[in-house]
Amino acid sequence: MSTLKEGRPYPRGAHFDGKGTNFALFSDHASSVTLCLFDAQGESETERVTLKECTNGVWHGYLEGIKPGQLYGYRVDGVWAPAEGLRFNHNKLLLDPYARKLSGQIKWDNALFGYTISDDPDADLHMDERDSAKFMPKAIVVKPDVLTKSPKPDIRWPKTIIYEAHVRGLTMQHPLIPNDIRGTFAALSDSAIISHLQRIGVTAIELMPIHAFAQDRHLLDRNLSNYWGYNTLAYFAPEPSYLGSGALEEIAKTVDALHDAGIEVILDVVYNHTCEGNHLGPTLCWKGIDNLSYYKELPGNPRYYDNLTGCGNALNTSHPKVMQMIMDSLRLWASVYGVDGFRFDLALTLGRNENGFNRDHALFHAMLQDPILTRCKLIAEPWDVGPGGFQLGSFPPGFSEWNGDYRDVTRQFWAGKEGMLSRFASRFAASSDLFNDQHRRPWSSVNFITAHDGFTLHDLVSYNEKHNEANGENNQDGANDNHSWNCGHEGETDQEDILALRAQQKRNFLTTLFLSQGIPMLLAGDELNNSQQGNNNAYCQDNEIGWVNWENADDALIDFVGELARLRKEHNAISRAEFVTGKLNEHGNSDVAWFNVNGEPMSNEDWNDPCNKAMAVKFVPPDKTGHAILVMLNASHVTVPARIPYCDSYDWKLLLDTPLKPIPNQQGEELVLEPRSIYVYEGRLISR
């Protein structure tokens, strides 16, 4: 028997001090908490220790001789009254919410549920007395933290270019990565991946969820899996399958390697809900530890959860201990593993209280005042499925936001929809109508055309309809309105004219993305012509559908993306730190000017003409040493006669064009804009 001492209530979790381990678990409504120790295989429970001390709702105790590598879990006892939101069941082994590393996977069995499963509509009210320990993963006591060593790149927001990727999906099919590390953090640090990221010029890689997550039982039954990982099981532990070596240091080494290459690391984090589902979900952790504290219950009926996320439950971020758990998790990943930023999935849920969404929610204030997190990039996904579930532009200063309206408007504009010119111009100029208040900056808008959720860029120009049959839901899942256009043929084709048009549309989308004010986010594989075979909801496709296909890589497209990244980094006119407003600089040039195709300032008639799909915009840098950028666009299906706007301060030089048919540089000279085309010019000040 291990000798139990009083221990400390903080830090929570299991902490080894060189001689023994302190255990601390929050449960405000429990009557007792038992620490369960297991053998090295996690199969036999070797000892149970009742934690006798409870300080401010935190149960704690110190055990001498308990070292790193020890497997453990908890049993928490209290009132079983599901109708009142109390779901304590000491028969269920529970994972430590602060577990730093996991051993084993969930083995689905009805014993994992706190109630006895049956067809009875009140089944969840009846306690199940089977022991769940042999079906549960176990937490592992780890040695003291090993910090990352390389300095952070500290890329300024205006120069940030984000690359959204999946640890497994990005690396599984790369021909130069050794088979034994594909799909792991180690693969991300391979020179093949890093050299590619440098070639295309991105400054940050945003990783889809890497917190340990649960595999859905219903997906496994269909021989599918929760590939994306938006189903968190542990906020402090990495997904075990992403550790090729099995060591936590693998993450730090990968972050160091990316930092050495000048690339920041942003994590997509899911603090809005957990993998325990609704009232009929399993009892794995929070539900059995303190259901009333951890989750938002349905007002007036705590038997049920307030399902603001569409995933069955929502964490109660207004509870101070839940808020502390989130903050502790964020600080761990930022300080121990050296992560540079976070993208908050369904961030609207994080800011909800009893009155709905509140941009002044205490959790947001906690993040924005934290000395570690204030040095991180914080990005919100500004929607959920609750009331008023779309709040783009509503987050407090200090947060950037995924701009879903940018995605939709840009897709519609290049698909040729009428009446989009004015809306497109607003999105192209960093959506100041949404973000330019309270001293927010253009980088408040994270612009994207494709993301993990939806079509890839290749599929966006190849399919009018989703093709999700492989998901096993009769093609009923995924968005129906994708604002896509297949260029005249559904799916893959050998028709050269269609292939040429699709290639040009890809260049149009990419050029728009990289030249827009705000922050560009590129979906991994879009620079490679990656396809998901028309699947716009590949969340369960841990296979060739969901993985990036490197075999079809187009060197010309890769280099085109690299050139766009170089232009963005070199030209402050398009990577501005302030919103463009039309104000004049010292040379009498406004920071932005909009022109019709005749080279004249846009009139109200031009803006309001629903058939007008062509224009030009000039961006002027904030410093007199920089160069202006002129962008001429034609989203129509016909050629459009045009003139380069006359700007007597500048000498224009064509930098790139998406039809790959260069046109004249001279101001005032007549030219023709090809159908569905963009032309980008650099303007150098003329000496006087």
Side-chain angles (χ1 to χ4, degrees):
M1 291 288 291
S2 303
T3 302
L4 178 67
K5 294 185 178 180
E6 178 181 350
R8 305 180 305 277
Y10 193 83
R12 279 149 67 187
H15 288 265
F16 176 68
D17 64 5
K19 297 180 180 179
T21 301
N22 190 81
F23 294 89
L25 179 77
F26 166 72
S27 180
D28 206 24
H29 296 88
S31 60
S32 68
V33 171
T34 302
L35 172 68
C36 303
L37 304 181
F38 289 82
D39 64 10
Q41 290 72 42
E43 296 177 355
S44 299
E45 191 171 339
T46 59
E47 189 173 349
R48 291 189 181 185
V49 180
T50 300
L51 302 183
K52 299 178 181 179
E53 301 292 333
C54 183
T55 304
N56 300 326
V58 178
W59 301 77
H60 53 92
Y62 178 88
L63 292 178
E64 289 186 351
I66 299 299
K67 300 177 181 180
Q70 175 65 57
L71 275 58
Y72 72 99
Y74 287 104
R75 299 180 188 274
V76 181
D77 207 358
V79 176
W80 171 263
E84 300 171 25
L86 297 168
R87 296 182 177 273
F88 294 106
N89 186 339
H90 68 276
N91 300 292
K92 308 305 172 184
L93 187 76
L94 305 172
L95 194 65
D96 183 357
Y98 277 65
R100 290 284 303 278
K101 190 177 181 182
L102 304 187
S103 173
Q105 300 283 344
I106 295 172
K107 300 174 184 177
W108 284 107
D109 187 272
N110 288 351
L112 291 169
F113 295 76
Y115 65 96
T116 302
I117 295 177
S118 73
D119 294 331
D120 183 349
D122 291 327
D124 68 298
L125 302 179
H126 306 297
M127 179 187 284
D128 184 275
E129 297 183 355
R130 286 172 290 184
D131 193 320
S132 67
K134 66 180 180 179
F135 306 108
M136 279 289 294
K138 313 301 186 296
I140 307 175
V141 177
V142 301
K143 60 185 178 182
D145 300 330
V146 177
L147 304 177
T148 49
K149 300 175 182 178
S150 295
K152 294 188 175 187
D154 195 23
I155 306 294
R156 294 177 55 245
W157 257 123
K159 299 300 181 183
T160 296
I161 301 171
I162 299 173
Y163 187 77
E164 190 198 24
H166 188 285
V167 171
R168 183 168 168 83
L170 181 63
T171 63
M172 279 300 292
Q173 297 191 101
H174 198 297
L176 299 181
I177 295 178
N179 289 332
D180 60 338
I181 65 168
R182 292 184 184 183
T184 69
F185 281 102
L188 281 182
S189 63
D190 189 279
S191 60
I193 294 294
I194 289 180
S195 62
H196 177 76
L197 298 179
Q198 291 176 318
R199 180 180 176 185
I200 61 175
V202 298
T203 69
I205 184 169
E206 180 178 305
L207 298 176
M208 291 170 66
I210 59 94
H211 290 162
F213 55 88
Q215 290 294 339
D216 300 87
R217 190 178 195 178
H218 69 94
L219 289 177
L220 295 178
D221 289 343
R222 302 205 307 264
N223 293 318
L224 298 170
S225 67
N226 189 318
Y227 168 56
W228 283 353
Y230 292 91
N231 205 28
T232 307
L233 177 63
Y235 290 115
F236 295 76
E239 167 57 30
S241 64
Y242 294 168
L243 295 176
S245 64
L248 296 177
E249 287 79 6
E250 183 177 326
I251 306 173
K253 290 178 180 178
T254 297
V255 174
D256 277 339
L258 289 163
H259 283 175
D260 288 341
I263 298 169
E264 295 182 320
V265 179
I266 298 171
L267 298 185
D268 192 341
V269 288
V270 190
Y271 297 110
N272 57 81
H273 76 281
T274 77
C275 64
E276 291 188 301
N278 62 15
H279 65 293
L280 298 178
T283 297
L284 309 172
C285 181
W286 308 270
K287 184 180 290 186
I289 292 173
D290 194 348
N291 188 62
L292 272 180
S293 294
Y294 279 107
Y295 291 115
K296 295 180 187 289
E297 283 77 25
L298 200 62
N301 194 350
R303 174 183 174 184
Y304 303 104
Y305 297 113
D306 196 355
N307 185 17
L308 300 165
T309 64
C311 300
N313 63 59
L315 278 178
N316 181 14
T317 56
S318 296
H319 192 288
K321 288 295 194 295
V322 178
M323 188 187 310
Q324 183 184 36
M325 178 186 72
I326 294 172
M327 293 296 294
D328 287 347
S329 171
L330 291 170
R331 281 191 289 260
L332 172 82
W333 291 100
S335 59
V336 173
Y337 296 110
V339 166
D340 305 278
F342 301 93
R343 179 265 189 188
F344 297 92
D345 180 65
L346 299 185
L348 207 65
T349 298
L350 303 183
R352 285 188 182 270
N353 54 30
E354 63 276 6
N355 298 316
F357 176 72
N358 179 10
R359 72 183 299 176
D360 292 320
H361 194 281
L363 178 58
F364 297 151
H365 283 301
M367 293 180 191
L368 293 171
Q369 64 78 42
D370 186 87
I372 294 175
L373 300 184
T374 50
R375 297 196 295 270
C376 293
K377 291 179 168 70
L378 306 178
I379 304 170
E381 183 183 41
W383 51 79
D384 64 11
V385 302
F390 188 76
Q391 295 285 336
L392 181 62
S394 298
F395 278 74
F399 280 88
S400 299
E401 302 178 35
W402 267 30
N403 193 339
D405 202 50
Y406 176 96
R407 170 199 59 205
D408 296 342
V409 168
T410 302
R411 289 183 177 193
Q412 291 174 80
F413 178 74
W414 284 113
K417 182 178 180 180
E418 294 185 348
M420 297 302 299
L421 198 64
S422 178
R423 290 184 63 191
F424 174 79
S426 295
R427 299 298 157 256
F428 195 66
S431 303
S432 61
D433 56 323
L434 298 172
F435 297 109
N436 191 14
D437 73 340
Q438 289 194 303
H439 306 288
R440 296 185 79 179
R441 298 297 189 102
W443 58 80
S444 298
S445 178
V446 174
N447 303 324
F448 64 101
I449 293 164
T450 57
H452 68 272
D453 192 0
F455 280 144
T456 66
L457 182 60
H458 179 83
D459 291 354
L460 183 66
V461 300
S462 304
Y463 294 90
N464 284 350
E465 308 294 336
K466 66 184 182 183
H467 296 269
N468 297 355
E469 290 81 6
N471 294 356
E473 300 178 41
N474 299 315
N475 206 31
Q476 298 299 307
D477 61 303
N480 292 315
D481 190 3
N482 297 284
H483 307 299
S484 61
W485 179 47
N486 65 17
C487 298
H489 178 87
E490 186 72 358
E492 299 303 322
T493 180
D494 294 327
Q495 293 180 245
E496 292 186 5
D497 57 338
I498 292 178
L499 293 175
L501 178 54
R502 288 177 178 178
Q504 185 164 322
Q505 283 287 77
K506 291 176 188 178
R507 293 191 292 270
N508 288 333
F509 279 121
L510 291 167
T511 303
T512 300
L513 178 65
F514 277 79
L515 267 61
S516 294
Q517 305 289 329
I519 301 303
M521 185 184 79
L522 178 70
L523 174 64
D526 278 355
E527 77 283 13
L528 304 171
N529 290 321
N530 185 58
S531 172
Q532 293 177 170
Q533 304 171 28
N535 192 318
N536 74 352
N537 189 33
Y539 77 102
C540 57
Q541 300 296 332
D542 187 6
N543 50 45
E544 288 80 2
I545 293 176
W547 301 339
V548 171
N549 183 351
W550 292 84
E551 286 188 7
N552 294 332
D554 180 345
D555 281 338
L557 186 59
I558 294 171
D559 290 338
F560 187 81
V561 170
E563 177 65 10
L564 289 171
R566 185 189 65 80
L567 290 180
R568 183 172 186 87
K569 292 174 183 177
E570 291 182 358
H571 289 84
N572 292 335
I574 52 177
S575 53
R576 297 177 59 92
E578 296 180 349
F579 285 100
V580 291
T581 61
K583 65 183 177 182
L584 299 178
N585 65 13
E586 60 185 276
H587 300 286
N589 291 302
S590 60
D591 54 11
V592 64
W594 304 90
F595 304 93
N596 62 26
V597 292
N598 296 318
E600 302 163 340
M602 288 281 286
S603 65
N604 288 334
E605 185 179 34
D606 293 325
W607 284 120
N608 295 322
D609 181 357
C611 296
N612 186 11
K613 302 176 184 179
M615 67 175 177
V617 57
K618 179 187 69 173
F619 292 123
V620 174
D623 56 282
K624 61 183 180 182
T625 60
H627 305 309
I629 291 292
L630 176 70
V631 184
M632 302 185 73
L633 310 98
N634 174 22
S636 73
H637 66 283
V638 297
T639 58
V640 174
R643 292 179 184 270
I644 295 177
Y646 184 76
C647 304
D648 61 2
S649 299
Y650 292 98
D651 182 26
W652 296 106
K653 173 187 176 183
L654 182 66
L655 296 179
L656 63 84
D657 63 286
T658 60
L660 306 183
K661 296 179 180 179
I663 57 177
N665 297 331
Q666 288 77 15
Q667 297 188 72
E669 182 170 336
E670 291 188 5
L671 48 88
V672 174
L673 301 182
E674 292 290 325
R676 301 185 177 92
S677 61
I678 304 178
Y679 300 84
V680 183
Y681 293 85
E682 177 186 75
R684 295 177 180 267
L685 280 171
I686 300 173
S687 300
R688 298 189 181 281

